[in-house]
Structures are given as structure tokens and as C-alpha cells.
Amino acid sequence: MSLRAKLWLAQVPILAALVLLSVLHGWRVSSIGGAAQQILHENYRSVLAAQRIDQAIERMDGAVRLRLAGRRDPVESPLDANRQRFEAELQIAESNITEPGEREAAAMLHQHWNAYVRSIEDLAASSGGDVARALYFAQAEPNFRKVKAAAYDILAMNQDAMV
């Protein structure tokens, strides 16, 4: 065997090791990128749900305030439509738990939501006028603020995880 052939044979293990390390490195980088993509995807779903929850509760409270002012909507009630939207997004938020503490935050949001619903039902059952306004400011409005704060907690938690 010539010297040239011996030198090539000596370098084959080095080349094989280099190829193997390149393949392993590529696979590892790809798996890390996939994990990061998964984290972003899951947290983005929770961020969207929290934003939509906030929008729905804002619209509901706006509808409640309009009713307190004496305005009635002739077609579909924004209160009912946004209540359905809220509940759909709440289900998404509760089923897409991705961060530590998010389950507790979602449970708190649900608890405040139930209190808000009870307060607007009490409001609807009231005789109206000053009684309704007093009920709104004593019950519905504080519960509205608690719902918004709980939705913000979920939003902030997931946005922080994405960053």
C-alpha cells in the first residue's frame, strides 16, 4: 500500500467523526427550534384567548351600562353574544394550560366570571332605575374589574413566557 493510500485511510475516521457530529448538531438544533416553536404556539393561543376574553367582557359591560341608561337593542343582544364569546374563550384558556400558576389564574378568572354573571343577572331581575344603578356599582362593576384583572394575569403570564 502506498503512502498516499495510508494517509487517506488515516483521515477516514476523522472525516466520519466530522460527518457524524455535523448530523447530530443539525438534529439537535432542529429539535431545539421545534421546542421553541411549540412554546410560542401554545402560549400564543392563551394570549389570544385572554385578549378576546378582555374584549368580550368590555363589550358586555358596555351593554350593561347602555341598558342602565335605558337603551334596549332591537336585534341580538350584545350582552348575550359576548357572553357566548367569553365562555368559548374561557374554555380555551382553561384547556390550554402551559405555564406554572396558569391553572390557578384560570380558576380565579372563572370564579370572578361566575360572580360577574350572577351580578348582571341580579341587575336584570331588579326593578331598574336607581336600584339597578346601585346594584351595578356595588356588585357588577367590581366583579367586572376582577374579571379584567384575572384575564390580564393570564395574558401577562403567557406573554412573559413567549419572550
Side-chain angles (χ1 to χ4, degrees):
M1 184 181 300
S2 71
L3 181 60
R4 177 178 261 177
K6 288 180 183 179
L7 287 172
W8 275 105
L9 280 175
Q11 292 183 9
V12 166
I14 295 170
L15 288 173
L18 182 62
V19 168
L20 179 65
L21 287 174
S22 295
V23 168
L24 288 175
H25 177 71
W27 173 78
R28 185 67 180 145
V29 167
S30 176
S31 68
I32 290 171
Q37 184 70 18
Q38 184 69 21
I39 289 168
L40 287 174
H41 175 72
E42 290 172 352
N43 285 304
Y44 186 68
R45 286 183 61 209
S46 293
V47 165
L48 281 179
Q51 288 174 336
R52 290 174 180 159
I53 283 170
D54 186 64
Q55 290 171 351
I57 194 73
E58 283 283 348
R59 290 181 181 141
M60 284 182 66
D61 199 63
V64 169
R65 287 175 182 249
L66 286 174
R67 285 191 179 176
L68 285 176
R71 179 169 173 234
R72 297 280 183 218
D73 296 307
V75 190
E76 180 185 355
S77 167
L79 190 61
D80 296 334
N82 284 296
R83 181 176 179 169
Q84 291 171 358
R85 283 186 198 111
F86 186 102
E87 290 173 349
E89 295 300 331
L90 180 59
Q91 268 189 331
I92 290 170
E94 289 176 328
S95 67
N96 191 46
I97 304 298
T98 58
E99 298 305 315
E102 189 174 2
R103 184 172 314 283
E104 294 79 11
M108 188 62 65
L109 173 62
H110 201 132
Q111 179 183 344
H112 293 315
W113 165 247
N114 288 336
Y116 180 75
V117 168
R118 279 191 305 275
S119 64
I120 61 173
E121 287 171 351
D122 290 347
L123 196 69
S126 73
S127 60
D130 291 337
V131 173
R133 279 188 283 285
L135 276 173
Y136 174 79
F137 289 109
Q139 294 178 10
E141 199 264 344
N143 289 327
F144 163 73
R145 294 200 182 283
K146 289 176 185 175
V147 169
K148 285 188 60 71
Y152 178 78
D153 289 344
I154 293 172
L155 175 71
M157 189 180 302
N158 283 281
Q159 283 179 330
D160 288 347
M162 288 173 71
V163 170

